[in-house]
PDB file of all heavy atoms in Angstrom:
ATOM      1  N   TYR L   1     -25.801 -14.640  23.947  1.00  0.00           N
ATOM      2  CA  TYR L   1     -25.195 -15.823  24.741  1.00  0.00           C
ATOM      3  C   TYR L   1     -25.611 -17.111  24.098  1.00  0.00           C
ATOM      4  O   TYR L   1     -24.759 -18.039  24.015  1.00  0.00           O
ATOM      5  CB  TYR L   1     -25.796 -15.711  26.210  1.00  0.00           C
ATOM      6  CG  TYR L   1     -25.188 -16.806  27.129  1.00  0.00           C
ATOM      7  CD1 TYR L   1     -23.916 -16.828  27.523  1.00  0.00           C
ATOM      8  CD2 TYR L   1     -26.059 -17.782  27.615  1.00  0.00           C
ATOM      9  CE1 TYR L   1     -23.489 -17.857  28.418  1.00  0.00           C
ATOM     10  CE2 TYR L   1     -25.611 -18.818  28.481  1.00  0.00           C
ATOM     11  CZ  TYR L   1     -24.308 -18.796  28.861  1.00  0.00           C
ATOM     12  OH  TYR L   1     -23.885 -19.766  29.635  1.00  0.00           O
ATOM     13  N   GLU L   2     -26.822 -17.248  23.697  1.00  0.00           N
ATOM     14  CA  GLU L   2     -27.291 -18.476  23.053  1.00  0.00           C
ATOM     15  C   GLU L   2     -26.456 -18.782  21.786  1.00  0.00           C
ATOM     16  O   GLU L   2     -26.120 -19.876  21.475  1.00  0.00           O
ATOM     17  CB  GLU L   2     -28.810 -18.522  22.813  1.00  0.00           C
ATOM     18  CG  GLU L   2     -29.585 -18.525  24.146  1.00  0.00           C
ATOM     19  CD  GLU L   2     -31.108 -18.389  23.863  1.00  0.00           C
ATOM     20  OE1 GLU L   2     -31.403 -17.875  22.825  1.00  0.00           O
ATOM     21  OE2 GLU L   2     -31.893 -18.645  24.824  1.00  0.00           O
ATOM     22  N   LEU L   3     -26.224 -17.681  21.026  1.00  0.00           N
ATOM     23  CA  LEU L   3     -25.399 -17.857  19.780  1.00  0.00           C
ATOM     24  C   LEU L   3     -23.942 -18.231  20.214  1.00  0.00           C
ATOM     25  O   LEU L   3     -23.330 -19.091  19.588  1.00  0.00           O
ATOM     26  CB  LEU L   3     -25.354 -16.562  19.048  1.00  0.00           C
ATOM     27  CG  LEU L   3     -26.659 -16.106  18.301  1.00  0.00           C
ATOM     28  CD1 LEU L   3     -26.505 -14.759  17.731  1.00  0.00           C
ATOM     29  CD2 LEU L   3     -27.030 -17.085  17.225  1.00  0.00           C
ATOM     30  N   LEU L   4     -23.446 -17.548  21.244  1.00  0.00           N
ATOM     31  CA  LEU L   4     -22.067 -17.792  21.681  1.00  0.00           C
ATOM     32  C   LEU L   4     -21.818 -19.177  22.194  1.00  0.00           C
ATOM     33  O   LEU L   4     -20.820 -19.813  21.832  1.00  0.00           O
ATOM     34  CB  LEU L   4     -21.745 -16.769  22.737  1.00  0.00           C
ATOM     35  CG  LEU L   4     -20.308 -16.762  23.289  1.00  0.00           C
ATOM     36  CD1 LEU L   4     -19.332 -16.309  22.285  1.00  0.00           C
ATOM     37  CD2 LEU L   4     -20.221 -15.825  24.483  1.00  0.00           C
ATOM     38  N   GLU L   5     -22.758 -19.658  22.967  1.00  0.00           N
ATOM     39  CA  GLU L   5     -22.603 -20.911  23.614  1.00  0.00           C
ATOM     40  C   GLU L   5     -23.244 -22.092  22.786  1.00  0.00           C
ATOM     41  O   GLU L   5     -23.072 -23.269  23.150  1.00  0.00           O
ATOM     42  CB  GLU L   5     -23.269 -21.017  24.973  1.00  0.00           C
ATOM     43  CG  GLU L   5     -22.595 -19.902  25.908  1.00  0.00           C
ATOM     44  CD  GLU L   5     -21.158 -20.315  26.256  1.00  0.00           C
ATOM     45  OE1 GLU L   5     -20.928 -21.507  26.563  1.00  0.00           O
ATOM     46  OE2 GLU L   5     -20.277 -19.487  26.193  1.00  0.00           O
ATOM     47  N   GLY L   6     -23.981 -21.757  21.756  1.00  0.00           N
ATOM     48  CA  GLY L   6     -24.609 -22.772  20.954  1.00  0.00           C
ATOM     49  C   GLY L   6     -25.634 -23.616  21.738  1.00  0.00           C
ATOM     50  O   GLY L   6     -25.710 -24.795  21.606  1.00  0.00           O
ATOM     51  N   LEU L   7     -26.429 -22.902  22.635  1.00  0.00           N
ATOM     52  CA  LEU L   7     -27.376 -23.625  23.461  1.00  0.00           C
ATOM     53  C   LEU L   7     -28.482 -24.231  22.670  1.00  0.00           C
ATOM     54  O   LEU L   7     -29.120 -23.528  21.884  1.00  0.00           O
ATOM     55  CB  LEU L   7     -27.947 -22.561  24.503  1.00  0.00           C
ATOM     56  CG  LEU L   7     -26.988 -22.005  25.490  1.00  0.00           C
ATOM     57  CD1 LEU L   7     -27.754 -21.122  26.404  1.00  0.00           C
ATOM     58  CD2 LEU L   7     -26.367 -23.141  26.277  1.00  0.00           C
ATOM     59  N   THR L   8     -28.668 -25.536  22.793  1.00  0.00           N
ATOM     60  CA  THR L   8     -29.761 -26.194  22.189  1.00  0.00           C
ATOM     61  C   THR L   8     -30.616 -27.011  23.124  1.00  0.00           C
ATOM     62  O   THR L   8     -31.653 -27.504  22.746  1.00  0.00           O
ATOM     63  CB  THR L   8     -29.241 -27.202  21.122  1.00  0.00           C
ATOM     64  OG1 THR L   8     -28.307 -28.064  21.746  1.00  0.00           O
ATOM     65  CG2 THR L   8     -28.450 -26.460  20.052  1.00  0.00           C
ATOM     66  N   GLU L   9     -30.140 -27.073  24.389  1.00  0.00           N
ATOM     67  CA  GLU L   9     -30.919 -27.934  25.417  1.00  0.00           C
ATOM     68  C   GLU L   9     -32.169 -27.195  25.824  1.00  0.00           C
ATOM     69  O   GLU L   9     -32.208 -26.074  26.284  1.00  0.00           O
ATOM     70  CB  GLU L   9     -30.032 -28.087  26.666  1.00  0.00           C
ATOM     71  CG  GLU L   9     -28.696 -28.768  26.399  1.00  0.00           C
ATOM     72  CD  GLU L   9     -27.596 -27.789  25.975  1.00  0.00           C
ATOM     73  OE1 GLU L   9     -27.938 -26.653  25.789  1.00  0.00           O
ATOM     74  OE2 GLU L   9     -26.492 -28.217  25.898  1.00  0.00           O
ATOM     75  N   PRO L  10     -33.304 -27.816  25.437  1.00  0.00           N
ATOM     76  CA  PRO L  10     -34.610 -27.134  25.818  1.00  0.00           C
ATOM     77  C   PRO L  10     -34.875 -27.074  27.302  1.00  0.00           C
ATOM     78  O   PRO L  10     -35.824 -26.412  27.713  1.00  0.00           O
ATOM     79  CB  PRO L  10     -35.630 -28.014  25.064  1.00  0.00           C
ATOM     80  CG  PRO L  10     -34.957 -29.333  24.921  1.00  0.00           C
ATOM     81  CD  PRO L  10     -33.500 -29.084  24.780  1.00  0.00           C
ATOM     82  N   ASP L  11     -34.101 -27.876  28.195  1.00  0.00           N
ATOM     83  CA  ASP L  11     -34.376 -27.871  29.579  1.00  0.00           C
ATOM     84  C   ASP L  11     -33.371 -27.031  30.306  1.00  0.00           C
ATOM     85  O   ASP L  11     -33.255 -27.095  31.498  1.00  0.00           O
ATOM     86  CB  ASP L  11     -34.336 -29.335  30.039  1.00  0.00           C
ATOM     87  CG  ASP L  11     -32.931 -29.946  29.900  1.00  0.00           C
ATOM     88  OD1 ASP L  11     -32.170 -29.478  29.107  1.00  0.00           O
ATOM     89  OD2 ASP L  11     -32.679 -30.955  30.608  1.00  0.00           O
ATOM     90  N   SER L  12     -32.629 -26.136  29.606  1.00  0.00           N
ATOM     91  CA  SER L  12     -31.703 -25.258  30.277  1.00  0.00           C
ATOM     92  C   SER L  12     -32.377 -24.242  31.085  1.00  0.00           C
ATOM     93  O   SER L  12     -33.553 -23.864  30.791  1.00  0.00           O
ATOM     94  CB  SER L  12     -30.848 -24.558  29.155  1.00  0.00           C
ATOM     95  OG  SER L  12     -30.223 -23.350  29.686  1.00  0.00           O
ATOM     96  N   ILE L  13     -31.746 -23.845  32.207  1.00  0.00           N
ATOM     97  CA  ILE L  13     -32.390 -22.772  33.044  1.00  0.00           C
ATOM     98  C   ILE L  13     -32.617 -21.496  32.220  1.00  0.00           C
ATOM     99  O   ILE L  13     -33.430 -20.642  32.656  1.00  0.00           O
ATOM    100  CB  ILE L  13     -31.539 -22.483  34.289  1.00  0.00           C
ATOM    101  CG1 ILE L  13     -30.177 -22.092  33.924  1.00  0.00           C
ATOM    102  CG2 ILE L  13     -31.533 -23.685  35.227  1.00  0.00           C
ATOM    103  CD1 ILE L  13     -29.304 -21.602  35.107  1.00  0.00           C
ATOM    104  N   TYR L  14     -31.830 -21.373  31.123  1.00  0.00           N
ATOM    105  CA  TYR L  14     -31.938 -20.111  30.334  1.00  0.00           C
ATOM    106  C   TYR L  14     -33.252 -20.119  29.481  1.00  0.00           C
ATOM    107  O   TYR L  14     -33.575 -19.029  28.863  1.00  0.00           O
ATOM    108  CB  TYR L  14     -30.725 -19.896  29.455  1.00  0.00           C
ATOM    109  CG  TYR L  14     -29.445 -20.012  30.288  1.00  0.00           C
ATOM    110  CD1 TYR L  14     -28.571 -21.107  30.116  1.00  0.00           C
ATOM    111  CD2 TYR L  14     -29.205 -19.002  31.252  1.00  0.00           C
ATOM    112  CE1 TYR L  14     -27.398 -21.168  30.899  1.00  0.00           C
ATOM    113  CE2 TYR L  14     -28.032 -19.150  32.047  1.00  0.00           C
ATOM    114  CZ  TYR L  14     -27.179 -20.161  31.836  1.00  0.00           C
ATOM    115  OH  TYR L  14     -25.999 -20.258  32.637  1.00  0.00           O
ATOM    116  N   ALA L  15     -33.951 -21.198  29.449  1.00  0.00           N
ATOM    117  CA  ALA L  15     -35.257 -21.297  28.869  1.00  0.00           C
ATOM    118  C   ALA L  15     -36.400 -20.807  29.738  1.00  0.00           C
ATOM    119  O   ALA L  15     -37.502 -20.732  29.356  1.00  0.00           O
ATOM    120  CB  ALA L  15     -35.505 -22.687  28.324  1.00  0.00           C
ATOM    121  N   LEU L  16     -36.076 -20.532  30.955  1.00  0.00           N
ATOM    122  CA  LEU L  16     -37.087 -20.056  31.935  1.00  0.00           C
ATOM    123  C   LEU L  16     -37.651 -18.723  31.480  1.00  0.00           C
ATOM    124  O   LEU L  16     -36.977 -17.758  31.240  1.00  0.00           O
ATOM    125  CB  LEU L  16     -36.392 -19.869  33.268  1.00  0.00           C
ATOM    126  CG  LEU L  16     -37.297 -19.766  34.534  1.00  0.00           C
ATOM    127  CD1 LEU L  16     -38.008 -21.131  34.765  1.00  0.00           C
ATOM    128  CD2 LEU L  16     -36.497 -19.452  35.761  1.00  0.00           C
ATOM    129  N   PRO L  17     -39.007 -18.680  31.333  1.00  0.00           N
ATOM    130  CA  PRO L  17     -39.642 -17.403  30.810  1.00  0.00           C
ATOM    131  C   PRO L  17     -39.496 -16.318  31.898  1.00  0.00           C
ATOM    132  O   PRO L  17     -39.420 -16.579  33.128  1.00  0.00           O
ATOM    133  CB  PRO L  17     -41.059 -17.808  30.601  1.00  0.00           C
ATOM    134  CG  PRO L  17     -41.315 -18.938  31.521  1.00  0.00           C
ATOM    135  CD  PRO L  17     -39.990 -19.709  31.595  1.00  0.00           C
ATOM    136  N   GLN L  18     -39.481 -15.097  31.431  1.00  0.00           N
ATOM    137  CA  GLN L  18     -39.454 -13.890  32.273  1.00  0.00           C
ATOM    138  C   GLN L  18     -38.335 -13.952  33.320  1.00  0.00           C
ATOM    139  O   GLN L  18     -38.409 -13.496  34.419  1.00  0.00           O
ATOM    140  CB  GLN L  18     -40.747 -13.728  33.014  1.00  0.00           C
ATOM    141  CG  GLN L  18     -41.962 -13.597  32.143  1.00  0.00           C
ATOM    142  CD  GLN L  18     -43.265 -13.454  32.891  1.00  0.00           C
ATOM    143  OE1 GLN L  18     -43.335 -13.459  34.147  1.00  0.00           O
ATOM    144  NE2 GLN L  18     -44.423 -13.398  32.164  1.00  0.00           N
ATOM    145  N   ALA L  19     -37.202 -14.525  32.897  1.00  0.00           N
ATOM    146  CA  ALA L  19     -36.069 -14.719  33.826  1.00  0.00           C
ATOM    147  C   ALA L  19     -35.391 -13.310  33.906  1.00  0.00           C
ATOM    148  O   ALA L  19     -35.557 -12.362  33.119  1.00  0.00           O
ATOM    149  CB  ALA L  19     -35.088 -15.775  33.290  1.00  0.00           C
ATOM    150  N   SER L  20     -34.491 -13.242  34.921  1.00  0.00           N
ATOM    151  CA  SER L  20     -33.722 -11.991  35.126  1.00  0.00           C
ATOM    152  C   SER L  20     -32.319 -12.446  35.477  1.00  0.00           C
ATOM    153  O   SER L  20     -32.036 -13.604  35.851  1.00  0.00           O
ATOM    154  CB  SER L  20     -34.296 -11.213  36.293  1.00  0.00           C
ATOM    155  OG  SER L  20     -34.276 -11.889  37.437  1.00  0.00           O
ATOM    156  N   ALA L  21     -31.361 -11.484  35.484  1.00  0.00           N
ATOM    157  CA  ALA L  21     -29.968 -11.708  35.937  1.00  0.00           C
ATOM    158  C   ALA L  21     -29.961 -12.243  37.320  1.00  0.00           C
ATOM    159  O   ALA L  21     -29.147 -13.162  37.626  1.00  0.00           O
ATOM    160  CB  ALA L  21     -29.159 -10.510  35.732  1.00  0.00           C
ATOM    161  N   LYS L  22     -30.783 -11.674  38.119  1.00  0.00           N
ATOM    162  CA  LYS L  22     -30.755 -12.031  39.570  1.00  0.00           C
ATOM    163  C   LYS L  22     -31.167 -13.542  39.766  1.00  0.00           C
ATOM    164  O   LYS L  22     -30.501 -14.293  40.519  1.00  0.00           O
ATOM    165  CB  LYS L  22     -31.757 -11.124  40.372  1.00  0.00           C
ATOM    166  CG  LYS L  22     -31.784 -11.506  41.845  1.00  0.00           C
ATOM    167  CD  LYS L  22     -32.778 -10.564  42.578  1.00  0.00           C
ATOM    168  CE  LYS L  22     -32.870 -10.910  44.070  1.00  0.00           C
ATOM    169  NZ  LYS L  22     -33.855  -9.995  44.759  1.00  0.00           N
ATOM    170  N   ILE L  23     -32.275 -13.927  39.089  1.00  0.00           N
ATOM    171  CA  ILE L  23     -32.731 -15.331  39.307  1.00  0.00           C
ATOM    172  C   ILE L  23     -31.742 -16.285  38.670  1.00  0.00           C
ATOM    173  O   ILE L  23     -31.408 -17.320  39.323  1.00  0.00           O
ATOM    174  CB  ILE L  23     -34.061 -15.438  38.635  1.00  0.00           C
ATOM    175  CG1 ILE L  23     -35.204 -14.743  39.409  1.00  0.00           C
ATOM    176  CG2 ILE L  23     -34.449 -16.993  38.409  1.00  0.00           C
ATOM    177  CD1 ILE L  23     -36.570 -14.807  38.751  1.00  0.00           C
ATOM    178  N   ILE L  24     -31.175 -15.918  37.540  1.00  0.00           N
ATOM    179  CA  ILE L  24     -30.207 -16.853  36.876  1.00  0.00           C
ATOM    180  C   ILE L  24     -28.974 -16.982  37.820  1.00  0.00           C
ATOM    181  O   ILE L  24     -28.380 -18.062  38.015  1.00  0.00           O
ATOM    182  CB  ILE L  24     -29.795 -16.327  35.494  1.00  0.00           C
ATOM    183  CG1 ILE L  24     -30.943 -16.442  34.559  1.00  0.00           C
ATOM    184  CG2 ILE L  24     -28.542 -17.088  35.027  1.00  0.00           C
ATOM    185  CD1 ILE L  24     -31.369 -17.842  34.319  1.00  0.00           C
ATOM    186  N   GLY L  25     -28.606 -15.829  38.466  1.00  0.00           N
ATOM    187  CA  GLY L  25     -27.411 -15.921  39.375  1.00  0.00           C
ATOM    188  C   GLY L  25     -27.750 -16.826  40.583  1.00  0.00           C
ATOM    189  O   GLY L  25     -26.790 -17.572  40.976  1.00  0.00           O
TER     190      GLY L  25
END
């Protein structure tokens, strides 16, 4: 996903450690 979207924002919720699909949802 990070490759696909080109995510570079260090404050993205996807930078959250130990995240899961449930929490991201």
Side-chain angles (χ1 to χ4, degrees):
Y1 180 71
E2 290 174 343
L3 290 173
L4 182 67
E5 297 295 312
L7 292 181
T8 57
E9 302 85 353
D11 64 341
S12 162
I13 57 172
Y14 308 113
L16 196 65
Q18 299 180 3
S20 65
K22 179 180 178 181
I23 288 176
I24 292 300

